[in-house]
Amino acid sequence: MAAQITSQPPQRPNYTPNQSNSTVPSQKIVPSTNLLPIVEEAPQLPADTSQNHHAETNGSGVSKYFERDGEMLIPNIKDFKGKNWAEQQRRFILLYTKAYYDFFGQPVPSEDHFKLAAKRASILDTTNFPKYLTGLKRQYLSQISGGYKLNHDGEKEVNNIIAQIEDENVEAGHQYWQRSVSATTKRTRLSKDDKDKLKKWAQDDVELGELKIRDITKATDYALVALWIITVHLKKEQAIRWNDGYYYLKDKFKTISVEAESFSRAMSKQTNEKYFRRSGELYYLTSQGQQIVEGWINGKPIDSLIDVENDMDD
């Protein structure tokens, strides 16, 4: 029996591990501080988003045409595709309003801010800019407690302007940046001989029919009448300098309500070439300009013959 016991190998239990037993050795106790690692890695919003409102708009839309300079914006383009100086200024105002809100997250604070911005952009016409701004306030801008912002129509107009700026097939706008500051005031002062000549002209009788000088309010209209009297009615000269026409009116009618600069600009600007022709420093009327004045003399209303768009430029 002892030999039998020693000849048989020892028997081990028939042990088959199950699933639950196999995982027991791999179980670990996870510290409670590591249960939610994702929360610690969640992305954070940029601090002070109100001061970085332009981050998602800058570089696209209207914002790419302006750069921030302190509390103001400076345009990095000159041509807003306006066909005259007035239209360039109107478009500048609308684009500036949109860009200002994109950069600062608030409306343009005041009318003076608009004027200063236009001056820094060298687009400002000091005489007429307030009138252009007033017109836009009626149509495209909303005045709220914080200042001025675009209304719904203003937003659509800005999109239209941007499309034209980016369309190479749209004709370039009026080159206001090439205007000569001194050109409009050149030869404002008259020599003694010039003054004596104009005083002599002013002594002659003038027949203006139904036209009343006191009813004239626009620089273009004053210029038309001055040239008509001197070159057509009195036939003093075939063509005259702008300041001859201006100071003749001042001598003849005393209380005309137009400044010399506005009078000069009305005669020289491109949009009025259909009324005035120029040879060097001398101006004369086109046939259309002459017909307009003679229509007024025959009783037609002053505002009925010059298109509204041109009137807004005076």
Side-chain angles (χ1 to χ4, degrees):
M1 178 178 271
Q4 184 178 0
I5 292 174
T6 56
S7 64
Q8 293 180 355
Q11 298 295 317
R12 295 181 178 180
N14 187 13
Y15 176 76
T16 303
N18 56 39
Q19 184 67 26
S20 60
N21 288 335
S22 65
T23 59
V24 170
S26 63
Q27 288 181 345
K28 295 181 180 179
I29 298 175
V30 181
S32 60
T33 55
N34 294 329
L35 289 178
L36 298 174
I38 297 177
V39 174
E40 296 180 358
E41 299 175 3
Q44 300 296 315
L45 291 175
D48 196 10
T49 55
S50 62
Q51 298 299 318
N52 295 282
H53 181 79
H54 70 283
E56 60 185 7
T57 56
N58 195 16
S60 62
V62 68
S63 300
K64 66 183 178 182
Y65 298 117
F66 290 85
E67 298 175 3
R68 181 171 177 172
D69 183 15
E71 298 303 314
M72 303 195 69
L73 300 179
I74 304 297
N76 52 34
I77 63 170
K78 294 181 179 295
D79 188 4
F80 306 104
K81 298 295 181 78
K83 61 184 178 180
N84 52 50
W85 191 9
E87 189 61 22
Q88 292 277 37
Q89 289 178 86
R90 295 187 191 100
R91 290 177 170 226
F92 169 80
I93 292 170
L94 292 177
L95 293 174
Y96 189 94
T97 304
K98 172 63 174 174
Y100 191 90
Y101 194 85
D102 285 350
F103 274 88
F104 297 101
Q106 60 188 20
V108 178
S110 67
E111 293 186 21
D112 287 341
H113 184 105
F114 279 120
K115 187 174 181 179
L116 180 57
K119 182 177 181 180
R120 294 184 67 179
S122 300
I123 196 174
L124 178 67
D125 169 8
T126 55
T127 302
N128 295 300
F129 187 83
K131 178 174 62 177
Y132 305 148
L133 181 55
T134 298
L136 292 175
K137 283 161 56 179
R138 289 195 297 263
Q139 187 173 6
Y140 294 127
L141 300 179
S142 294
Q143 185 175 5
I144 59 178
S145 59
Y148 297 92
K149 62 180 297 186
L150 296 176
N151 59 24
H152 181 66
D153 289 338
E155 293 280 356
K156 292 194 296 184
E157 183 65 14
V158 163
N159 290 336
N160 180 53
I161 294 171
I162 294 174
Q164 292 184 32
I165 291 175
E166 296 180 349
D167 189 346
E168 296 181 355
N169 295 321
V170 175
E171 185 179 355
H174 172 68
Q175 297 182 349
Y176 63 88
W177 56 89
Q178 292 187 355
R179 72 189 187 280
S180 172
V181 175
S182 61
T184 58
T185 57
K186 185 178 181 181
R187 294 184 61 86
T188 298
R189 294 185 178 180
L190 299 174
S191 67
K192 183 180 183 302
D193 290 342
D194 289 333
K195 292 179 180 179
D196 290 343
K197 175 188 68 176
L198 296 176
K199 287 182 180 296
K200 185 177 179 179
W201 289 359
Q203 293 173 4
D204 291 350
D205 292 334
V206 174
E207 296 293 334
L208 295 180
E210 299 297 318
L211 174 62
K212 308 298 182 187
I213 294 295
R214 63 176 176 269
D215 293 337
I216 299 176
T217 59
K218 299 179 177 66
T220 298
D221 299 350
Y222 277 119
L224 284 168
V225 172
L227 261 70
W228 183 85
I229 292 174
I230 295 172
T231 65
V232 178
H233 185 51
L234 298 180
K235 294 183 171 62
K236 296 298 185 180
E237 303 281 357
Q238 291 185 339
I240 60 172
R241 297 170 303 182
W242 74 264
N243 52 340
D244 288 334
Y246 177 75
Y247 287 105
Y248 168 80
L249 282 184
K250 294 284 285 185
D251 247 334
K252 181 68 176 177
F253 300 103
K254 307 302 181 184
T255 58
I256 66 169
S257 57
V258 64
E259 298 296 327
E261 183 178 355
S262 297
F263 188 95
S264 170
R265 187 168 58 247
M267 295 176 66
S268 63
K269 66 183 179 181
Q270 187 176 2
T271 54
N272 278 344
E273 288 181 351
K274 53 189 172 183
Y275 308 129
F276 307 105
R277 289 286 186 269
R278 182 175 180 177
S279 176
E281 291 185 345
L282 304 180
Y283 292 88
Y284 57 95
L285 289 179
T286 65
S287 58
Q288 183 177 353
Q290 180 176 335
Q291 290 170 5
I292 286 176
V293 178
E294 291 171 353
W296 295 338
I297 291 171
N298 291 325
K300 292 185 178 181
I302 291 178
D303 289 337
S304 67
L305 298 178
I306 298 181
D307 56 274
V308 174
E309 177 185 24
N310 190 61
D311 283 351
M312 293 179 69
D313 295 342
D314 292 338

